[in-house]
Amino acid sequence: MTHYSIGDLARMTGLSTRTIRFYSDSGLVPVAGRTAGGFRTYDVDGLARLKLVRTLRDLGVDLPTAQRVLAREVSVADVARTHADAIDAQLRTLRLRRAVLRVVARNGEVEAVHELARLSEEERQAILDDFFDEVFGGLELDPAFRDRMRSVRVELPDDPTAEQLEAWVELANLVRDEDFRASIRRMSERHQEMRAQGADLSTGGTPEQLEAFQHVMSRARAALDAGVPPASEEARRIVEEINERWGDVLAVRVGPELSRWLAEFGDPRAERYWSLLAVINGWPPVPDTTAERAWLAEAGR
């Protein structure tokens, strides 16, 4: 039978003789025999046990657990599963900490960012639900519209990116802003009035309406990119083309009607609200049409 000295084991495993002697004294690697001079020797089984202990320790397994594995009190698979779960939790914590630090590096706020990042899913949703209660509470809104709004959830991942965390911090501050709440409340009250007058506010628009809206915004964006002044003759022609195309589809025409509509429903922060939710929840990006709307309102005067 092959026997190895502590020096042999050290060369074969990369461990120090002191560490091997400690493992041997602890009973992890039993002595197989002694030389004529009284020095310890170890067999192939001892070498295999030593390699397993080294691997477990490299993976962060403590010595008592390693001893239980060697004693067959617990399987390597069970230990690996437990430690993998623990590492997953540590990684989530580290990723969240990294995201917090990156956001703090951008805006300099420490306590607010840290506290908002630590909230549970229920606590995050409570912030949004409180917002809904104040801006919709007591109003006779279209049930489908109301339920659709209240069904929105904040789904911040356990390990968010810095962009997602930054969006969550901005959203939380936005929905708690009193001026924004008052603005959305006014929109909701106007919604109630229009519904009482017979307006159908149950859907987000037909496919034809959505297509017309996208066409209008693309024309406005093209005008902005080309540097067309809203008060110019070219802008007037664009407005005429838009109204001719969408007049039969959308009830609001570019001009005084659109200006009034924007005054009632055009708070750009409402669009920002949806853009932030898209970032947090990993939805497709929501385009920001604030500039396009402003150009149309001025061009239609």
Side-chain angles (χ1 to χ4, degrees):
M1 179 181 294
T2 303
H3 279 231
Y4 306 100
S5 67
I6 287 183
D8 293 333
L9 294 182
R11 286 189 296 273
M12 298 170 74
T13 63
L15 297 171
S16 68
T17 56
R18 181 178 179 181
T19 298
I20 296 173
R21 189 173 290 109
F22 172 75
Y23 287 163
S24 181
D25 292 341
S26 301
L28 292 170
V29 184
V31 176
R34 296 274 179 175
T35 66
F39 295 105
R40 306 175 189 184
T41 62
Y42 302 87
D43 57 16
V44 173
D45 180 64
L47 174 61
R49 289 168 66 91
L50 183 60
K51 288 181 176 179
L52 178 57
V53 172
R54 181 198 60 189
T55 300
L56 292 173
R57 293 294 289 146
D58 286 345
L59 293 173
V61 177
D62 56 81
L63 278 179
T65 301
Q67 196 157 18
R68 293 182 64 202
V69 170
L70 293 173
R72 301 185 184 277
E73 296 175 4
V74 61
S75 70
V76 172
D78 289 338
V79 171
R81 188 178 302 109
T82 299
H83 278 71
D85 291 343
I87 290 172
D88 284 342
Q90 292 172 351
L91 286 174
R92 286 194 295 271
T93 299
L94 289 172
R95 290 192 187 104
L96 179 60
R97 191 173 299 167
R98 179 184 61 188
V100 168
L101 289 172
R102 285 180 173 169
V103 174
V104 170
R106 293 177 186 175
N107 60 29
E109 297 180 15
V110 180
E111 293 185 8
V113 173
H114 188 233
E115 289 302 316
L116 287 171
R118 293 177 58 194
L119 295 179
S120 67
E121 181 181 352
E122 291 74 17
E123 290 170 326
R124 290 194 296 268
Q125 192 61 36
I127 292 176
L128 205 58
D129 290 340
D130 179 68
F131 167 72
F132 291 143
D133 289 341
E134 181 164 334
V135 300
F136 297 150
L139 299 178
E140 293 294 330
L141 305 179
D142 181 88
F145 167 79
R146 181 197 60 221
D147 294 344
R148 185 167 64 251
M149 292 296 295
R150 283 188 173 274
S151 69
V152 174
R153 299 195 64 80
V154 177
E155 299 175 345
L156 186 70
D158 290 336
D159 52 347
T161 64
E163 290 72 24
Q164 286 176 308
L165 181 57
E166 196 166 31
W168 159 238
V169 172
E170 183 179 344
L171 179 69
N173 289 330
L174 178 62
V175 298
R176 292 187 295 188
D177 181 85
E178 293 302 325
D179 184 67
F180 178 63
R181 288 187 172 211
S183 175
I184 301 302
R185 179 71 183 189
R186 287 192 297 272
M187 293 185 197
S188 302
E189 291 170 347
R190 181 60 181 138
H191 176 112
Q192 177 179 252
E193 293 174 6
M194 293 173 66
R195 182 168 182 261
Q197 294 166 2
D200 181 7
L201 303 172
S202 60
T203 68
T206 65
E208 292 79 12
Q209 289 172 329
L210 293 175
E211 182 182 359
F213 177 81
Q214 291 169 357
H215 168 73
V216 171
M217 292 303 148
S218 66
R219 293 291 286 121
R221 170 44 54 190
L224 282 165
D225 291 343
V228 178
S232 67
E233 181 62 25
E234 185 177 356
R236 185 188 64 78
R237 288 195 296 270
I238 293 173
V239 168
E240 288 179 352
E241 182 271 325
I242 288 174
N243 282 333
E244 182 178 354
R245 172 157 181 181
W246 83 342
D248 295 333
V249 179
L250 297 175
V252 183
R253 296 172 62 83
V254 178
E257 290 180 77
L258 178 63
S259 296
R260 286 194 299 270
W261 185 88
L262 288 173
E264 291 180 327
F265 298 104
D267 189 330
R269 293 173 296 180
E271 194 166 55
R272 182 61 178 165
Y273 165 89
W274 290 107
S275 296
L276 293 170
L277 272 174
V279 173
I280 295 167
N281 292 351
W283 297 343
V286 175
D288 183 352
T289 61
T290 302
E292 289 88 337
R293 292 174 185 236
W295 188 89
L296 289 167
E298 188 173 349
R301 289 176 182 173

